[in-house]
Amino acid sequence: MDAQIKPESSVAGTGAKQKISLRAVLLSLVVLLSNIVINGVIFMFFRDSTLNPLLTAVLAVLWGVLGVYLIYYTLTWAVEQYPDYIRRKVLPYIFIGPAVIILGWLLVLPALRTLYLSFFNASSEKFVGLSNYAAIFSDHLMATALRNNLLWVFVGTLACVCFGLLIAILADRSSYEKIAKSIIFMPMAISFVAAGVIWKFVYYYQPGDEQIGLLNAVVTYFGGEPQAWTSMLQPWNNFFLIVILIWMQTGFAMVIFSAAIKGVPDDILEAARVDGAGEVKIFFGIMIPIISATILTVTTTIIVFTLKIFDVVMVMTGGQYDTEVVATQFYRQFFMYRNFGYGSTLAIVLLIAVLPVIIINLRQFRKQGGF
């Protein structure tokens, strides 16, 4: 008797699940379409609005806050109508879904469009295949830009990592650790544009004996000749620009390395000292292997910064005096010369250069349990 009842209960339960799921699907569609229609109407209202700009801005902020809340609330309510086994699978996508859609809209679609434009001529009217890619590696200006980018990558990254690691070790043993770290980290609070303006005054040069640039003032004080550091001294002027990156990113590297060093077990260090190991041997034989994953993460992160460098070069020299990099060349070709095909190709080349570094970073995060 029991054997006959169980299948019937099972069938009934399955039917109930199917019925609830159908109702939930209909509710989900209604809620989703309602959100799209309502927010679309509000967007059209703000786009065509003739209200006072300040009032429009206030209302837009309110719409942004309340609109996001209502979207998440209504979608969550709709998912709550599903059975538990479906709810557990769908609910996480409700929270990450809008972010993924926005990223796809703002990053993936523009990247695909840029890739498409890279196969066309300057006016995007004639298909030219791989001609733009071939032109990149035969252009003298691009050769200079690629050379400079390599300088930024190798010199800038190596200096930031080495100085950051050295300062982290020294500051960790100093009684003024907090003050020292605050001073070193302070440039991180400044944008690259602001840093470029500051260092423009540091390197400033004018003919004559009176110098307002800090570096030239120091040079002339000790009897030297003032120099146009970012223009006349080629190709050394690129190294003077890289100093700005080192000044800004060393603090970032120092903070990350300091946190990693503090995570090295004290008992291992004490055991090494008891065995007679010196501080240099402890540093290279124990600390470096333990924090190697952190070193890789910091290195790849700074490499991405250097590959995309634009602000400092544009503010300091505008890409003149053989300081051109790929990003400034892209800006010049795409926005100034209106060469959309060549400019798009430069953007794709830059993306291809950055992608391997990002993949290495993501794999490292996965190994560390970041996601």
mmCIF file of all heavy atoms in Angstrom, residues 13 16-32 74-94:
data_model
loop_
_atom_site.group_PDB
_atom_site.id
_atom_site.type_symbol
_atom_site.label_atom_id
_atom_site.label_comp_id
_atom_site.label_asym_id
_atom_site.label_seq_id
_atom_site.Cartn_x
_atom_site.Cartn_y
_atom_site.Cartn_z
ATOM 1 N N GLY A 13 3.887 16.029 -6.089
ATOM 2 C CA GLY A 13 4.911 17.023 -5.769
ATOM 3 C C GLY A 13 5.536 17.602 -7.021
ATOM 4 O O GLY A 13 5.772 18.799 -7.128
ATOM 5 N N ALA A 16 3.151 20.069 -8.579
ATOM 6 C CA ALA A 16 3.119 21.328 -7.839
ATOM 7 C C ALA A 16 4.317 22.181 -8.184
ATOM 8 O O ALA A 16 4.230 23.392 -8.383
ATOM 9 C CB ALA A 16 3.070 21.042 -6.330
ATOM 10 N N LYS A 17 5.483 21.516 -8.277
ATOM 11 C CA LYS A 17 6.698 22.248 -8.640
ATOM 12 C C LYS A 17 6.563 22.878 -10.012
ATOM 13 O O LYS A 17 6.908 24.024 -10.235
ATOM 14 C CB LYS A 17 7.909 21.310 -8.614
ATOM 15 C CG LYS A 17 8.426 21.009 -7.216
ATOM 16 C CD LYS A 17 9.679 20.171 -7.314
ATOM 17 C CE LYS A 17 10.217 19.873 -5.906
ATOM 18 N NZ LYS A 17 11.442 19.054 -5.975
ATOM 19 N N GLN A 18 6.039 22.108 -10.969
ATOM 20 C CA GLN A 18 5.886 22.632 -12.318
ATOM 21 C C GLN A 18 4.904 23.792 -12.354
ATOM 22 O O GLN A 18 5.135 24.790 -13.023
ATOM 23 C CB GLN A 18 5.415 21.524 -13.254
ATOM 24 C CG GLN A 18 6.476 20.439 -13.484
ATOM 25 C CD GLN A 18 5.952 19.298 -14.319
ATOM 26 O OE1 GLN A 18 4.743 19.178 -14.511
ATOM 27 N NE2 GLN A 18 6.844 18.460 -14.805
ATOM 28 N N LYS A 19 3.833 23.692 -11.589
ATOM 29 C CA LYS A 19 2.828 24.751 -11.549
ATOM 30 C C LYS A 19 3.418 26.025 -10.959
ATOM 31 O O LYS A 19 3.233 27.122 -11.488
ATOM 32 C CB LYS A 19 1.622 24.281 -10.748
ATOM 33 C CG LYS A 19 0.468 25.279 -10.714
ATOM 34 C CD LYS A 19 -0.686 24.713 -9.944
ATOM 35 C CE LYS A 19 -1.844 25.709 -9.886
ATOM 36 N NZ LYS A 19 -2.975 25.180 -9.108
ATOM 37 N N ILE A 20 4.146 25.902 -9.840
ATOM 38 C CA ILE A 20 4.772 27.064 -9.203
ATOM 39 C C ILE A 20 5.821 27.668 -10.131
ATOM 40 O O ILE A 20 5.937 28.869 -10.264
ATOM 41 C CB ILE A 20 5.390 26.666 -7.848
ATOM 42 C CG1 ILE A 20 4.276 26.257 -6.879
ATOM 43 C CG2 ILE A 20 6.209 27.800 -7.273
ATOM 44 C CD1 ILE A 20 4.779 25.713 -5.557
ATOM 45 N N SER A 21 6.577 26.840 -10.785
ATOM 46 C CA SER A 21 7.627 27.326 -11.673
ATOM 47 C C SER A 21 7.033 28.113 -12.837
ATOM 48 O O SER A 21 7.581 29.136 -13.241
ATOM 49 C CB SER A 21 8.454 26.151 -12.209
ATOM 50 O OG SER A 21 9.112 25.474 -11.157
ATOM 51 N N LEU A 22 5.913 27.647 -13.373
ATOM 52 C CA LEU A 22 5.273 28.362 -14.458
ATOM 53 C C LEU A 22 4.791 29.731 -13.998
ATOM 54 O O LEU A 22 4.983 30.742 -14.681
ATOM 55 C CB LEU A 22 4.097 27.534 -14.988
ATOM 56 C CG LEU A 22 3.308 28.153 -16.150
ATOM 57 C CD1 LEU A 22 4.229 28.382 -17.349
ATOM 58 C CD2 LEU A 22 2.120 27.269 -16.516
ATOM 59 N N ARG A 23 4.182 29.765 -12.830
ATOM 60 C CA ARG A 23 3.726 31.049 -12.267
ATOM 61 C C ARG A 23 4.913 31.975 -12.015
ATOM 62 O O ARG A 23 4.855 33.173 -12.284
ATOM 63 C CB ARG A 23 2.973 30.779 -10.961
ATOM 64 C CG ARG A 23 2.559 32.024 -10.196
ATOM 65 C CD ARG A 23 1.732 31.656 -8.979
ATOM 66 N NE ARG A 23 1.458 32.804 -8.144
ATOM 67 C CZ ARG A 23 2.256 33.227 -7.172
ATOM 68 N NH1 ARG A 23 3.389 32.578 -6.919
ATOM 69 N NH2 ARG A 23 1.934 34.284 -6.459
ATOM 70 N N ALA A 24 6.011 31.402 -11.503
ATOM 71 C CA ALA A 24 7.200 32.203 -11.227
ATOM 72 C C ALA A 24 7.802 32.764 -12.505
ATOM 73 O O ALA A 24 8.245 33.913 -12.548
ATOM 74 C CB ALA A 24 8.239 31.357 -10.477
ATOM 75 N N VAL A 25 7.779 31.956 -13.552
ATOM 76 C CA VAL A 25 8.321 32.420 -14.832
ATOM 77 C C VAL A 25 7.504 33.597 -15.359
ATOM 78 O O VAL A 25 8.064 34.601 -15.832
ATOM 79 C CB VAL A 25 8.346 31.268 -15.857
ATOM 80 C CG1 VAL A 25 8.647 31.793 -17.251
ATOM 81 C CG2 VAL A 25 9.389 30.223 -15.456
ATOM 82 N N LEU A 26 6.180 33.491 -15.280
ATOM 83 C CA LEU A 26 5.329 34.575 -15.749
ATOM 84 C C LEU A 26 5.560 35.849 -14.929
ATOM 85 O O LEU A 26 5.660 36.950 -15.471
ATOM 86 C CB LEU A 26 3.857 34.156 -15.677
ATOM 87 C CG LEU A 26 3.441 33.031 -16.639
ATOM 88 C CD1 LEU A 26 1.991 32.628 -16.399
ATOM 89 C CD2 LEU A 26 3.639 33.469 -18.097
ATOM 90 N N LEU A 27 5.656 35.683 -13.596
ATOM 91 C CA LEU A 27 5.925 36.837 -12.733
ATOM 92 C C LEU A 27 7.277 37.461 -13.062
ATOM 93 O O LEU A 27 7.427 38.687 -13.088
ATOM 94 C CB LEU A 27 5.881 36.418 -11.263
ATOM 95 C CG LEU A 27 4.507 36.201 -10.654
ATOM 96 C CD1 LEU A 27 4.626 35.640 -9.234
ATOM 97 C CD2 LEU A 27 3.730 37.522 -10.621
ATOM 98 N N SER A 28 8.261 36.614 -13.304
ATOM 99 C CA SER A 28 9.601 37.115 -13.623
ATOM 100 C C SER A 28 9.589 37.937 -14.903
ATOM 101 O O SER A 28 10.205 39.002 -14.976
ATOM 102 C CB SER A 28 10.586 35.954 -13.771
ATOM 103 O OG SER A 28 10.670 35.215 -12.574
ATOM 104 N N LEU A 29 8.886 37.438 -15.908
ATOM 105 C CA LEU A 29 8.806 38.171 -17.169
ATOM 106 C C LEU A 29 8.107 39.517 -16.995
ATOM 107 O O LEU A 29 8.546 40.538 -17.541
ATOM 108 C CB LEU A 29 8.074 37.332 -18.215
ATOM 109 C CG LEU A 29 8.822 36.077 -18.706
ATOM 110 C CD1 LEU A 29 7.921 35.261 -19.635
ATOM 111 C CD2 LEU A 29 10.104 36.479 -19.426
ATOM 112 N N VAL A 30 7.015 39.512 -16.213
ATOM 113 C CA VAL A 30 6.281 40.760 -15.973
ATOM 114 C C VAL A 30 7.161 41.764 -15.231
ATOM 115 O O VAL A 30 7.242 42.950 -15.591
ATOM 116 C CB VAL A 30 4.988 40.475 -15.179
ATOM 117 C CG1 VAL A 30 4.345 41.786 -14.726
ATOM 118 C CG2 VAL A 30 4.008 39.675 -16.026
ATOM 119 N N VAL A 31 7.845 41.291 -14.178
ATOM 120 C CA VAL A 31 8.710 42.177 -13.392
ATOM 121 C C VAL A 31 9.855 42.708 -14.248
ATOM 122 O O VAL A 31 10.184 43.902 -14.213
ATOM 123 C CB VAL A 31 9.252 41.422 -12.154
ATOM 124 C CG1 VAL A 31 10.357 42.220 -11.475
ATOM 125 C CG2 VAL A 31 8.114 41.160 -11.169
ATOM 126 N N LEU A 32 10.498 41.843 -15.027
ATOM 127 C CA LEU A 32 11.625 42.256 -15.861
ATOM 128 C C LEU A 32 11.197 43.278 -16.907
ATOM 129 O O LEU A 32 11.844 44.328 -17.076
ATOM 130 C CB LEU A 32 12.231 41.026 -16.543
ATOM 131 C CG LEU A 32 13.452 41.271 -17.431
ATOM 132 C CD1 LEU A 32 14.598 41.843 -16.611
ATOM 133 C CD2 LEU A 32 13.878 39.969 -18.113
ATOM 134 N N THR A 74 12.543 44.105 -6.708
ATOM 135 C CA THR A 74 11.503 43.434 -7.495
ATOM 136 C C THR A 74 12.007 42.114 -8.087
ATOM 137 O O THR A 74 11.281 41.122 -8.112
ATOM 138 C CB THR A 74 11.008 44.356 -8.617
ATOM 139 O OG1 THR A 74 12.136 44.819 -9.383
ATOM 140 C CG2 THR A 74 10.264 45.555 -8.044
ATOM 141 N N LEU A 75 13.250 42.117 -8.567
ATOM 142 C CA LEU A 75 13.797 40.885 -9.134
ATOM 143 C C LEU A 75 13.986 39.828 -8.048
ATOM 144 O O LEU A 75 13.726 38.634 -8.270
ATOM 145 C CB LEU A 75 15.121 41.166 -9.837
ATOM 146 C CG LEU A 75 15.037 41.987 -11.132
ATOM 147 C CD1 LEU A 75 16.425 42.224 -11.692
ATOM 148 C CD2 LEU A 75 14.158 41.294 -12.168
ATOM 149 N N THR A 76 14.432 40.255 -6.878
ATOM 150 C CA THR A 76 14.577 39.304 -5.761
ATOM 151 C C THR A 76 13.228 38.738 -5.357
ATOM 152 O O THR A 76 13.094 37.534 -5.088
ATOM 153 C CB THR A 76 15.241 39.993 -4.560
ATOM 154 O OG1 THR A 76 16.495 40.538 -4.966
ATOM 155 C CG2 THR A 76 15.476 39.006 -3.425
ATOM 156 N N TRP A 77 12.210 39.593 -5.316
ATOM 157 C CA TRP A 77 10.856 39.124 -4.969
ATOM 158 C C TRP A 77 10.374 38.107 -5.994
ATOM 159 O O TRP A 77 9.757 37.097 -5.640
ATOM 160 C CB TRP A 77 9.905 40.319 -4.926
ATOM 161 C CG TRP A 77 8.480 39.907 -4.683
ATOM 162 C CD1 TRP A 77 7.880 39.638 -3.490
ATOM 163 C CD2 TRP A 77 7.479 39.681 -5.699
ATOM 164 N NE1 TRP A 77 6.577 39.269 -3.679
ATOM 165 C CE2 TRP A 77 6.298 39.284 -5.017
ATOM 166 C CE3 TRP A 77 7.467 39.776 -7.080
ATOM 167 C CZ2 TRP A 77 5.118 38.997 -5.702
ATOM 168 C CZ3 TRP A 77 6.298 39.490 -7.760
ATOM 169 C CH2 TRP A 77 5.141 39.105 -7.072
ATOM 170 N N ALA A 78 10.650 38.373 -7.267
ATOM 171 C CA ALA A 78 10.217 37.439 -8.304
ATOM 172 C C ALA A 78 10.922 36.090 -8.156
ATOM 173 O O ALA A 78 10.298 35.028 -8.305
ATOM 174 C CB ALA A 78 10.494 38.030 -9.689
ATOM 175 N N VAL A 79 12.198 36.117 -7.836
ATOM 176 C CA VAL A 79 12.945 34.863 -7.666
ATOM 177 C C VAL A 79 12.455 34.101 -6.441
ATOM 178 O O VAL A 79 12.471 32.860 -6.414
ATOM 179 C CB VAL A 79 14.462 35.159 -7.572
ATOM 180 C CG1 VAL A 79 15.240 33.886 -7.229
ATOM 181 C CG2 VAL A 79 14.976 35.724 -8.881
ATOM 182 N N GLU A 80 11.996 34.826 -5.428
ATOM 183 C CA GLU A 80 11.491 34.178 -4.210
ATOM 184 C C GLU A 80 10.246 33.328 -4.495
ATOM 185 O O GLU A 80 9.885 32.466 -3.686
ATOM 186 C CB GLU A 80 11.150 35.229 -3.145
ATOM 187 C CG GLU A 80 12.358 35.940 -2.551
ATOM 188 C CD GLU A 80 13.209 35.003 -1.708
ATOM 189 O OE1 GLU A 80 12.654 34.018 -1.177
ATOM 190 O OE2 GLU A 80 14.428 35.245 -1.601
ATOM 191 N N GLN A 81 9.600 33.548 -5.618
ATOM 192 C CA GLN A 81 8.418 32.772 -5.967
ATOM 193 C C GLN A 81 8.763 31.383 -6.510
ATOM 194 O O GLN A 81 7.886 30.543 -6.659
ATOM 195 C CB GLN A 81 7.573 33.528 -7.014
ATOM 196 C CG GLN A 81 7.276 34.973 -6.660
ATOM 197 C CD GLN A 81 6.642 35.120 -5.287
ATOM 198 O OE1 GLN A 81 5.665 34.425 -4.967
ATOM 199 N NE2 GLN A 81 7.187 36.012 -4.472
ATOM 200 N N TYR A 82 10.038 31.169 -6.813
ATOM 201 C CA TYR A 82 10.477 29.874 -7.336
ATOM 202 C C TYR A 82 10.653 28.876 -6.194
ATOM 203 O O TYR A 82 10.806 29.260 -5.023
ATOM 204 C CB TYR A 82 11.811 30.026 -8.080
ATOM 205 C CG TYR A 82 11.690 30.635 -9.447
ATOM 206 C CD1 TYR A 82 11.513 32.009 -9.614
ATOM 207 C CD2 TYR A 82 11.792 29.850 -10.581
ATOM 208 C CE1 TYR A 82 11.422 32.574 -10.869
ATOM 209 C CE2 TYR A 82 11.700 30.402 -11.854
ATOM 210 C CZ TYR A 82 11.514 31.759 -11.984
ATOM 211 O OH TYR A 82 11.417 32.318 -13.234
ATOM 212 N N PRO A 83 10.664 27.601 -6.496
ATOM 213 C CA PRO A 83 11.024 26.593 -5.477
ATOM 214 C C PRO A 83 12.455 26.805 -4.997
ATOM 215 O O PRO A 83 13.268 27.452 -5.663
ATOM 216 C CB PRO A 83 10.884 25.265 -6.239
ATOM 217 C CG PRO A 83 9.998 25.566 -7.395
ATOM 218 C CD PRO A 83 10.247 26.986 -7.771
ATOM 219 N N ASP A 84 12.777 26.231 -3.860
ATOM 220 C CA ASP A 84 14.087 26.456 -3.235
ATOM 221 C C ASP A 84 15.249 26.053 -4.131
ATOM 222 O O ASP A 84 16.257 26.753 -4.207
ATOM 223 C CB ASP A 84 14.177 25.689 -1.903
ATOM 224 C CG ASP A 84 13.292 26.303 -0.841
ATOM 225 O OD1 ASP A 84 12.914 27.481 -1.004
ATOM 226 O OD2 ASP A 84 12.979 25.613 0.147
ATOM 227 N N TYR A 85 15.118 24.904 -4.801
ATOM 228 C CA TYR A 85 16.249 24.413 -5.588
ATOM 229 C C TYR A 85 16.549 25.318 -6.778
ATOM 230 O O TYR A 85 17.681 25.398 -7.260
ATOM 231 C CB TYR A 85 15.988 22.970 -6.050
ATOM 232 C CG TYR A 85 14.961 22.823 -7.141
ATOM 233 C CD1 TYR A 85 15.346 22.708 -8.475
ATOM 234 C CD2 TYR A 85 13.599 22.781 -6.836
ATOM 235 C CE1 TYR A 85 14.397 22.567 -9.485
ATOM 236 C CE2 TYR A 85 12.649 22.642 -7.835
ATOM 237 C CZ TYR A 85 13.045 22.530 -9.154
ATOM 238 O OH TYR A 85 12.114 22.398 -10.140
ATOM 239 N N ILE A 86 15.546 26.027 -7.298
ATOM 240 C CA ILE A 86 15.757 26.986 -8.380
ATOM 241 C C ILE A 86 16.227 28.317 -7.805
ATOM 242 O O ILE A 86 17.102 28.978 -8.366
ATOM 243 C CB ILE A 86 14.473 27.166 -9.202
ATOM 244 C CG1 ILE A 86 14.109 25.858 -9.905
ATOM 245 C CG2 ILE A 86 14.629 28.295 -10.218
ATOM 246 C CD1 ILE A 86 12.851 25.932 -10.732
ATOM 247 N N ARG A 87 15.627 28.713 -6.685
ATOM 248 C CA ARG A 87 15.966 29.991 -6.069
ATOM 249 C C ARG A 87 17.452 30.074 -5.738
ATOM 250 O O ARG A 87 18.098 31.096 -5.953
ATOM 251 C CB ARG A 87 15.137 30.165 -4.794
ATOM 252 C CG ARG A 87 15.278 31.523 -4.132
ATOM 253 C CD ARG A 87 14.590 31.521 -2.795
ATOM 254 N NE ARG A 87 13.246 30.953 -2.890
ATOM 255 C CZ ARG A 87 12.564 30.472 -1.858
ATOM 256 N NH1 ARG A 87 13.113 30.444 -0.651
ATOM 257 N NH2 ARG A 87 11.351 29.994 -2.024
ATOM 258 N N ARG A 88 18.005 28.984 -5.196
ATOM 259 C CA ARG A 88 19.420 28.985 -4.815
ATOM 260 C C ARG A 88 20.325 29.167 -6.027
ATOM 261 O O ARG A 88 21.412 29.741 -5.917
ATOM 262 C CB ARG A 88 19.766 27.683 -4.103
ATOM 263 C CG ARG A 88 19.235 27.599 -2.678
ATOM 264 C CD ARG A 88 19.877 26.446 -1.942
ATOM 265 N NE ARG A 88 19.561 25.162 -2.570
ATOM 266 C CZ ARG A 88 18.517 24.405 -2.226
ATOM 267 N NH1 ARG A 88 17.698 24.820 -1.278
ATOM 268 N NH2 ARG A 88 18.291 23.263 -2.822
ATOM 269 N N LYS A 89 19.897 28.693 -7.190
ATOM 270 C CA LYS A 89 20.725 28.819 -8.397
ATOM 271 C C LYS A 89 20.571 30.176 -9.076
ATOM 272 O O LYS A 89 21.523 30.715 -9.629
ATOM 273 C CB LYS A 89 20.356 27.711 -9.389
ATOM 274 C CG LYS A 89 20.688 26.309 -8.890
ATOM 275 C CD LYS A 89 20.286 25.270 -9.931
ATOM 276 C CE LYS A 89 20.613 23.856 -9.456
ATOM 277 N NZ LYS A 89 20.219 22.818 -10.449
ATOM 278 N N VAL A 90 19.369 30.741 -9.026
ATOM 279 C CA VAL A 90 19.095 31.973 -9.764
ATOM 280 C C VAL A 90 19.474 33.221 -8.975
ATOM 281 O O VAL A 90 19.962 34.207 -9.553
ATOM 282 C CB VAL A 90 17.601 32.035 -10.159
ATOM 283 C CG1 VAL A 90 17.265 33.354 -10.828
ATOM 284 C CG2 VAL A 90 17.253 30.872 -11.068
ATOM 285 N N LEU A 91 19.282 33.195 -7.652
ATOM 286 C CA LEU A 91 19.460 34.398 -6.837
ATOM 287 C C LEU A 91 20.836 35.040 -6.980
ATOM 288 O O LEU A 91 20.931 36.277 -7.078
ATOM 289 C CB LEU A 91 19.164 34.074 -5.367
ATOM 290 C CG LEU A 91 18.908 35.280 -4.460
ATOM 291 C CD1 LEU A 91 17.740 36.092 -4.999
ATOM 292 C CD2 LEU A 91 18.612 34.826 -3.036
ATOM 293 N N PRO A 92 21.942 34.279 -7.004
ATOM 294 C CA PRO A 92 23.248 34.949 -7.177
ATOM 295 C C PRO A 92 23.349 35.757 -8.461
ATOM 296 O O PRO A 92 23.994 36.813 -8.490
ATOM 297 C CB PRO A 92 24.245 33.773 -7.177
ATOM 298 C CG PRO A 92 23.564 32.691 -6.417
ATOM 299 C CD PRO A 92 22.114 32.827 -6.755
ATOM 300 N N TYR A 93 22.690 35.281 -9.538
ATOM 301 C CA TYR A 93 22.763 35.995 -10.811
ATOM 302 C C TYR A 93 21.972 37.301 -10.776
ATOM 303 O O TYR A 93 22.236 38.201 -11.565
ATOM 304 C CB TYR A 93 22.252 35.108 -11.945
ATOM 305 C CG TYR A 93 23.128 33.910 -12.195
ATOM 306 C CD1 TYR A 93 22.789 32.662 -11.673
ATOM 307 C CD2 TYR A 93 24.301 34.029 -12.924
ATOM 308 C CE1 TYR A 93 23.593 31.546 -11.886
ATOM 309 C CE2 TYR A 93 25.114 32.922 -13.147
ATOM 310 C CZ TYR A 93 24.751 31.686 -12.617
ATOM 311 O OH TYR A 93 25.568 30.604 -12.834
ATOM 312 N N ILE A 94 21.020 37.397 -9.861
ATOM 313 C CA ILE A 94 20.279 38.647 -9.716
ATOM 314 C C ILE A 94 21.213 39.753 -9.244
ATOM 315 O O ILE A 94 21.109 40.914 -9.668
ATOM 316 C CB ILE A 94 19.107 38.470 -8.724
ATOM 317 C CG1 ILE A 94 18.082 37.470 -9.276
ATOM 318 C CG2 ILE A 94 18.437 39.808 -8.426
ATOM 319 C CD1 ILE A 94 17.452 37.893 -10.573
#
